[in-house]
Amino acid sequence: MKKYIAILTSLLLPFLSSAHIAYVAPEGTFEKFGGTDWSYFLQVFHNPLYVSLMIGVAGITIGLAFLLRRTPPVRKFFDITEQILASYHEFIPWIIRLGLGIALIGAGTEHALISPIIPHGEAFGVLEIFLGFFFLVGFALVPAVLTTLGLYIIALFHTSYLIGNLDIFALAIGVLVFHSARPGVDDILRISLLRFIHIKRHWLAPIMRAGVGIAMTYLAIYEKLLNPHVSDVVVRAYGLNHVIPVSPAMWVLAVAIIEILVGLCIFVGFFTRTTACVAIVVLSFSFFFFKESVASHVSLFSILAIVAIEGGGFLSIDSWLAKRKKTELPQPVFGQTD
């Protein structure tokens, strides 16, 4: 019975997974073990226990989400929490710049181009350190954003794996969309070029959602589904199959499914704030377990925090459902009094 409880827990709380397998996998793992192997996952579906648990957990999760949102105390808690998060809107420029600044300084000190998987010597490193400090102090923000976007495109041409770092690209665009230099040197000296950029702020939410949603979905598909044996190596290397007694294949498949669902929910803006908060918790556990570099993940935490603040926003399912609910409310009859 304890084993079955552990298996069920592993499906509900797969927080010991890593968003970037390449950051924790031994060097050369992708070259040695990379490649698609759909038969790898067949062992999971050949096990009736695993299949029944996946179906059961999916049903329980959907049922709990449905019931909790309709329980008055819980619904009130979520409503108040969403109001508090929405009130943090003014801090978004600072959150964006902190995420970009720390990420770029970290990449620069490690002599890497955007991501730790692209070592490029000191040339790009010095530039990234300067850009990071510019973002932190709020100086020359528009040139810093354009240069950062250029570096990301260069890195993306180097390897498509940088799609998993799309959060950095989205954060850089976010500086232009929010067009606020406060707090920062540009604002103090009144030299900000952001005032000449006229992009409607309602685009901020979909850009942030797209950045992190696409990144998470891509990593789940590329690292777990298309290269399952690479993830298998990490599961075995860190003894995850001993922490919770399921097969490595079950680990890889469960994590892939959950990361894809989380990424898609954020991308389309469905239960956006809740999903973003869950993702932050999951990534926090993953970060401490694998003892990964702070700088290589801070941009991901930053963009998830912004998604939690902004919610679904423009072009989201949450927004569509809210408008539909509002139109379906009974309208007061003319002349009716309370």
Side-chain angles (χ1 to χ4, degrees):
M1 178 61 69
K2 290 182 179 179
K3 179 179 179 180
Y4 295 156
I5 294 175
I7 293 174
L8 181 62
T9 304
S10 71
L11 296 175
L12 290 170
L13 300 173
F15 50 77
L16 299 182
S17 64
S18 174
H20 292 81
I21 291 294
Y23 291 177
V24 296
E27 187 175 352
T29 301
F30 269 94
E31 291 75 11
K32 186 175 181 180
F33 298 99
T36 304
D37 181 9
W38 296 111
S39 63
Y40 173 81
F41 297 111
L42 290 179
Q43 56 185 297
V44 174
F45 294 101
H46 286 164
N47 188 321
L49 176 60
Y50 290 163
V51 174
S52 60
L53 282 174
M54 284 191 289
I55 295 174
V57 168
I60 292 172
T61 303
I62 294 173
L64 283 176
F66 181 83
L67 290 175
L68 289 177
R69 291 295 295 183
R70 283 159 177 75
T71 303
V74 176
R75 186 174 60 191
K76 183 178 180 180
F77 170 79
F78 276 108
D79 290 342
I80 294 175
T81 302
E82 289 181 355
Q83 292 174 12
I84 294 174
L85 286 171
S87 70
Y88 296 158
H89 186 78
E90 62 182 304
F91 301 114
I92 288 177
W94 188 223
I95 295 173
I96 292 176
R97 286 166 38 204
L98 278 174
L100 286 173
I102 296 174
L104 288 168
I105 291 174
T109 55
E110 294 176 2
H111 306 307
L113 178 59
I114 301 297
S115 170
I117 67 169
I118 309 180
H120 259 280
E122 296 183 2
F124 284 114
V126 173
L127 176 59
E128 287 175 314
I129 291 173
F130 271 105
L131 289 174
F133 277 111
F134 284 177
F135 280 119
L136 291 180
V137 301
F139 176 67
L141 286 177
V142 172
V145 165
L146 297 178
T147 306
T148 301
L149 294 176
L151 290 179
Y152 178 85
I153 293 172
I154 293 173
L156 185 61
F157 274 108
H158 186 277
T159 172
S160 61
Y161 189 78
L162 262 291
I163 295 175
N165 294 89
L166 193 61
D167 49 291
I168 292 180
F169 188 89
L171 285 173
I173 295 294
V175 175
L176 303 180
V177 175
F178 208 96
H179 50 79
S180 172
R182 296 171 52 87
V185 174
D186 282 356
D187 182 60
I188 294 173
L189 299 179
R190 296 177 294 283
I191 59 174
S192 175
L193 298 176
L194 290 172
R195 65 180 182 272
F196 298 110
I197 299 174
H198 303 287
I199 304 176
K200 293 184 178 180
R201 288 190 183 181
H202 66 231
W203 284 106
L204 182 67
I207 290 173
M208 297 296 106
R209 294 196 336 261
V212 67
I214 292 174
M216 294 186 69
T217 304
Y218 170 81
L219 290 172
I221 294 173
Y222 179 74
E223 294 179 335
K224 283 81 174 181
L225 296 184
L226 299 183
N227 294 278
H229 293 289
V230 173
S231 297
D232 185 288
V233 169
V234 173
V235 170
R236 296 179 188 274
Y238 285 87
L240 301 182
N241 55 318
H242 299 300
V243 174
I244 299 177
V246 295
S247 68
M250 184 63 191
W251 262 103
V252 176
L253 181 60
V255 170
I257 292 173
I258 291 172
E259 286 187 0
I260 289 173
L261 289 176
V262 170
L264 290 178
C265 282
I266 292 177
F267 179 73
V268 301
F270 183 60
F271 284 101
T272 312
R273 286 193 173 98
T274 302
T275 307
C277 291
V278 169
I280 290 173
V281 173
V282 171
L283 288 171
S284 298
F285 278 108
S286 170
F287 170 78
F288 286 110
F289 182 84
F290 288 104
K291 299 178 176 62
E292 298 178 68
S293 167
V294 174
S296 60
H297 286 82
V298 69
S299 61
L300 195 54
F301 283 105
S302 296
I303 197 169
L304 284 171
I306 294 169
V307 170
I309 293 171
E310 284 286 284
F314 184 55
L315 295 178
S316 69
I317 293 179
D318 285 344
S319 176
W320 177 77
L321 290 174
K323 291 179 180 177
R324 182 179 178 183
K325 182 179 179 180
K326 186 176 181 180
T327 58
E328 289 179 352
L329 289 175
Q331 300 298 318
V333 179
F334 179 76
Q336 181 180 355
T337 59
D338 294 336

